[in-house]
Amino acid sequence: MSPPLLSVEHLDVVYDGTITALSDVSLTVEPGQVVAVLGSNGAGKTSLLRAVSRSLQPYGGTVTGGTVRFAGEDLAGTDAAAVVRRGLVQVPEGRRIFRDLTVAENLRAGGYTVKDAKARAEARDRVFDLFPILAERRDQPGGLLSGGQQQMLAMGRALMVSPQLLLLDEPSLGLAPLLVDQIGEIVTAINQQGTAVLLIEQNAVMGLRVADAAYVLETGRVTASGTAAELSASDEVQERYLGVAVPVVATEVVEAEPAVPTAEPPKTLRVEGLTVRFGGITALSEVSFAVEPGTVHALIGPNGAGKSTLVNVLGGAYRATEGAVHYGDAELTALRSDKVAGLGVARTFQNISLALEDTVEDNLLVGRHRLMRRGLVPGALRLPGARREEREHRETVAGIAELLGIAHLLRTPVHTLAYGDRKRVEMGRALAARPSLLLLDEPVAGMTHGESQDMAETIRQVRRDLGLSIVLVEHDMPFVMGLAEQVTVLDFGKKIAEGTPAQVQRDPEVLRAYLGASAAGDAAA
Amino acid sequence: MKHRVRAATLAAAALALAACSTTAPTASGGGGDDVTTGNGVTDSGITIGMITDLSGPFAAGAAVQVTETQAYWDQVNADGGICDRDVTVDVQDHGYDPQRAVTLYRSMAPDVVALQQVLGGPTSAAVLPLAEQDGVYVGGVGWAGSALAYENNQLPGASNAIQAANAVDYMVDELDVPEGSSIGVVYFTGDYGGDALAGAEHAAEERGLEVVAQEITSQTTDLSAQASALAQADVAGVVLAAAPTQLASLAGVLSAQGADVPIIGMNPTFNPSLLTTPAADALLANAYSMTSVSPYDNADSAGVQAANELYASAAPDGAVGWEVPLAYVQAELLKQALEGACESGDLTPEGVVAAFRDGGEVDTEGVLPDGLDYSEVGQSPTTTVFVSKVSRDAEAGLELLDQVSGPSAESFSYGG
Amino acid sequence: MSYFLEQVLNGLSYGLVLSLIAAGFAIVFTSTGVLNFAHGSIVLLGAYLVAVLHDTIGFWPAVLVGLLGAAVVGVLINMLLVRHLADPNPGTAAILMLGVDIVLLTELTRRIGNQVLTLGAPWGASVVRLGDVTLPTGRVLAAGVTVVAFAGLWYLFSRTDLGVGMRAAAADGPTASLMGIRLSRTAATGWALAGILAAVAGIFLTSFPAPGVAPTVALSAFAAIPAWVLGGFDSVPGAVVGGLLIGLTSALVTGYEAELEPFLGAGFGEVAPYVVMIVVLLVRPSGLMGSKEAVRV
């Protein structure tokens, strides 16, 4: 019997000599198989891929025990480049395409180790067959591609070496449901051409759909494994990763008096005929909608539909080309970005932007900056007034941390926190400014179903206790549908639908442009 | 303006110092003689200092000077020393770093009676005021007029302004530059270049010439743009206060552009190795040198001959150049000051300064012009300079033409 | 008019030489993230090798040795010092490079002494006349060689695997190594290229109209720093434009110093490059062609 293509045995991985990322992990990939690894953030999925592709070292990680064999050969002592030459390629998380290089140059870099011009031309043709859009846009810089196209480029780049085993790290992260389905189909297509795939996915539905076998990784250990069918049937996997057990229910608008009132009550946000152009590109075109005070309003749509542009206009970072946004009586689009915060608008970012070395408390205090009346000098001199004010700020921040469930982490440096907690810290920083309108840009991207349900509960609580309005951009449909009262759907910068979650889920335009066929099936069921 | 104030306060300080040293001798006399001694002088020995650049940009030239200096004092010691004492030279390397020069001076000052040299503009500028406070003699620090303001500094010959004024006079009197024409002045930023520019401007006004000034730094090694500008202004001659690289570049480019005009460089602007560069022909045709110290090739000067012989025996394969007579004459000036101090019975640092400032005659056997006068603080000790022409036949590439003291040089006055 | 044209051509040809040095700064920065303050002494080293060898082995073989020597020294600096830096902080690396510069420069200064070493270039002090305009042959050659060198660089970076790999490694090293691109190799190539460019620049900076090799040549490399910075730290095309801009500015400001002096004061030619740099950075903080990421490092 020939050895398995990849065989990981009793693998231990440690970062910086102290932090254990994996312990005693064993896993097998047979030739031609698709194997999925499921798990929440911080479970060690990426460390597993890095250990296999021999790229732990730049991140300070080392293999302290166990072996990784590829086609029967121990990979210990080989470097990343040598592993690639043997036909084992990793597509990193977050796509990581070379933005300033053209599509063709990205592929060329991918085929760096292939010296045979003919083999390389064939590989490129296969990639173009698989992703015709890349052939069409071959001379454009990679940075101009949409999120889904970038994922295709990242995979195409890896396929340039015609690998025997492809390692995919979170290929569906941050992509619209329709694209997630496409990525799944592509993985299957790649597999059918004879390439084995080791797939890491937080989207367990997609992962289990394309995989033959799967492993569940929790805090560095394999807690379950089996065929994809076996795991799909397991209760635990269903609850934590597939979300089957949790019914999706729209929440009622809570009229209760807020426990910690905002500085000012929320007002109506009215977006009227908003158009934004960058050079010749129209990112938003005559978009209008309104957010009622105290509600959760979701913006959904495919990647590149203009959702982030819209949030950036609301946050004051981008200027409107035409149209206006009013918050209460104030015209938000007429204000400088630093004045927008003064209206009581605060936001979080798609990519977490925290000061990693500082404590949670310090990061939250940054959010209080706008409200600090006393200047630097009294603060530095620690005058009595400044001390009293500082104490007040610390109390406010502690209250918010309590609300978000991170009070026990206040003195902890951010870089040691798990992903979900960092997302909460970022939300806490926005809330520290006591906004009456909170803009959340992809708050649960990269979270498993269980984690995103926890986050949804936190957001409900925040809305209830603080009594503010929330505008939300997110791709996780169960999350959005369970949280929002109103949904606005964007596509190519235009509003294509609007209504309650139930209404938009049935809208044929939305199904075509965004949710895709599988959602149509779900909705029908 | 600055100089005048400086000179006035200095004169006062000097008086105070002189009073101090005569009324309160700093150390007991020893041995059999009745000489008052101080820092750096014992019964049997005298220590002098030399803070130079053995690891920085001027290391090569500095090494020649150190060799010559050592040889000079070895010979003095062999001839019986000074005041019956052997002279030791304490050589330290500042690497052209003013900070280090100051540190070295501080550690050296209690142990030396005088400093024969502090090499380099910024380094000597850092040390001179400290040494002045301590009343310590400082010899060679270049020829910038700013150093003249220090009572304790003995300039080896005419200052840069005097050289430049003479250069202008020489152009008019000997090189057929007509009244009413323009001359270029290309000069380094800083004391050296600024002093030369002042001298040239004074002389140009006296002789009815227009000055076209071009300021450069030592980083400017390609003078194409400057040369074009000078050619465009149709200059009849150029005064250059820079370094050898700039001389070669300027001469080469001017000649390539058909501007066949004399270029007169100040003290350190010529180096014999320039004759191996592509600019050699242009230099031979048009380059002159206006120096405070005699060039290496000077058969008429007994002093220069002695200097060269000394160097040839100390370093038979050493590079020859203007550093040889310079180092020799700096040592010679200090020797005469030490002897003067010995004669007046005050071999203290202050005594050495007083000795060279006493107005007595200084004879360097032709290495420096005759008639040097160090009695007036703030003015150049002489208005006479050496004129040489670049030549393949002369040793070290400079053929001595004359000693001159032009009318503009004589009418130039610092602070006037 | 011909005077203006002459200053412009002088400025452009000098600017091209500066852009060779600036491009070397940019290439080392993108391939290893190091602000290579030892670059100036590598410029000097290249020229020095040609100067000491041309008599014995002839000018062209000496040029070859000069280019290779500078490349090898660059690669060695990277291999022995930069790669083993425990702390990959750009500040630490920059200070290390200042140290390397002092060591190299001290040794070269010691060897050169107070001489001005001639390069023995066959074009000597000859000039080319175009109508009323006179240009040194060396400068015309410099312009030609520089254009060829940049064409070569363009070809390398856009048409060869190695070049595309270098750009990929510069953009995202960890990801590039997942494609099998060895970062040690792209880094070494970057240093070698920078060394070769430095040596070419050194040869033109020390041949007519400059007289020869003297230690101050290393300082001339610093004149390329404003060109590098205003072009954007990480952009080779930016370095070319920056070099041309700086060369032109200094030539024109110096050439018209007499006319400009009442407004700008004497010696403005020396500070003009820095003034241009500051003005450019005020308008475009990441330089003419730099990427924003790079400046944030």
Side-chain angles (χ1 to χ4, degrees), chain A residues 236-297:
Chain A
E236 201 192 326
V237 171
Q238 287 201 343
E239 188 193 332
R240 298 189 60 159
Y241 298 103
L242 295 172
V244 179
V246 183
V248 173
V249 195
T251 47
E252 296 299 309
V253 180
V254 182
E255 299 288 354
E257 196 62 24
V260 191
T262 52
E264 286 176 33
K267 308 178 191 85
T268 307
L269 177 77
R270 283 197 316 282
V271 176
E272 286 151 359
L274 184 65
T275 299
V276 177
R277 288 191 203 97
F278 301 111
I281 300 160
T282 304
L284 281 178
S285 167
E286 294 180 28
V287 172
S288 301
F289 64 92
V291 178
E292 295 303 323
T295 63
V296 177
H297 192 112

Side-chain angles (χ1 to χ4, degrees), chain B:
Chain B
M1 182 63 212
K2 192 173 140 211
H3 292 169
R4 190 166 35 192
V5 176
R6 254 314 199 353
T9 45
L10 281 180
L15 278 174
L17 275 173
C20 212
S21 59
T22 46
T23 53
T26 46
S28 64
D33 53 21
D34 51 354
V35 171
T36 312
T37 62
N39 290 349
V41 181
T42 64
D43 289 352
S44 58
I46 297 175
T47 307
I48 59 171
M50 192 164 175
I51 307 183
T52 184
D53 178 11
L54 295 175
S55 59
F58 301 103
V64 171
Q65 297 191 50
V66 169
T67 306
E68 176 75 0
T69 301
Q70 294 282 15
Y72 179 90
W73 291 109
D74 286 349
Q75 195 175 54
V76 167
N77 291 337
D79 294 347
I82 291 186
C83 230
D84 299 326
R85 292 163 170 89
D86 271 356
V87 178
T88 313
V89 190
D90 180 5
V91 180
Q92 295 291 338
D93 169 29
H94 61 44
Y96 209 60
D97 173 0
Q99 206 59 50
R100 237 164 91 195
V102 167
T103 312
L104 287 171
Y105 170 75
R106 292 273 188 223
S107 65
M108 185 187 269
D111 304 322
V112 297
V113 67
L115 289 168
Q116 184 186 312
Q117 184 181 40
V118 179
L119 187 139
T123 37
S124 59
V127 169
L128 266 175
L130 302 174
E132 185 188 44
Q133 279 174 4
D134 299 345
V136 174
Y137 171 102
V138 179
V141 294
W143 295 267
S146 52
L148 290 169
Y150 295 92
E151 207 249 352
N152 58 326
N153 170 241
Q154 188 170 26
L155 213 68
S159 68
N160 292 127
I162 298 297
Q163 295 162 27
N166 271 315
V168 175
D169 284 334
Y170 192 77
M171 282 184 198
V172 175
D173 295 337
E174 305 290 336
L175 300 174
D176 304 327
V177 169
E179 198 178 321
S181 57
S182 293
I183 54 163
V185 179
V186 181
Y187 62 101
F188 274 171
T189 309
D191 284 348
Y192 159 39
D195 195 30
L197 177 65
E201 281 181 330
H202 165 80
E205 198 177 323
E206 296 277 301
R207 311 303 297 259
L209 302 173
E210 284 289 320
V211 166
V212 179
Q214 293 277 349
E215 186 174 293
I216 57 172
T217 70
S218 57
Q219 295 180 33
T220 319
T221 51
D222 166 9
L223 275 73
S224 301
Q226 287 80 3
S228 296
L230 295 178
Q232 175 75 2
D234 203 17
V235 297
V238 182
V239 177
L240 179 69
T245 354
Q246 285 76 23
L247 174 63
S249 179
L250 187 67
V253 181
L254 278 177
S255 143
Q257 292 182 336
D260 186 22
V261 298
I263 304 166
I264 306 189
M266 303 299 101
N267 254 343
T269 16
F270 182 77
N271 181 304
S273 64
L274 294 184
L275 289 177
T276 64
T277 68
D281 289 343
L283 291 168
L284 289 168
N286 290 321
Y288 296 81
S289 202
M290 198 60 66
T291 57
S292 314
V293 184
S294 163
Y296 187 87
D297 193 352
N298 183 352
D300 298 335
S301 160
V304 172
Q305 291 307 312
N308 296 356
E309 280 161 25
L310 203 54
Y311 185 73
S313 63
D317 302 322
V320 299
W322 57 277
E323 293 94 348
V324 173
L326 172 64
Y328 178 90
V329 82
Q330 283 175 173
E332 178 70 28
L333 288 174
L334 178 54
K335 179 186 154 220
Q336 294 186 21
L338 290 171
E339 282 171 352
C342 178
E343 267 167 42
S344 57
D346 183 9
L347 200 51
T348 63
E350 293 82 358
V352 177
V353 173
F356 93 84
R357 286 292 184 194
D358 72 355
E361 191 174 318
V362 180
D363 181 11
T364 60
E365 293 183 294
V367 187
L368 295 177
D370 292 338
L372 293 169
D373 175 10
Y374 287 101
S375 62
E376 194 181 350
V377 176
Q379 296 299 339
S380 179
T382 176
T383 56
T384 307
V385 296
F386 297 86
V387 187
S388 324
K389 188 167 190 335
V390 174
S391 158
R392 274 202 203 282
D393 304 325
E395 263 191 290
L398 283 180
E399 177 194 345
L400 180 60
L401 299 178
D402 203 356
Q403 288 190 31
V404 296
S405 174
S408 311
E410 286 171 7
S411 65
F412 183 85
S413 170
Y414 282 99

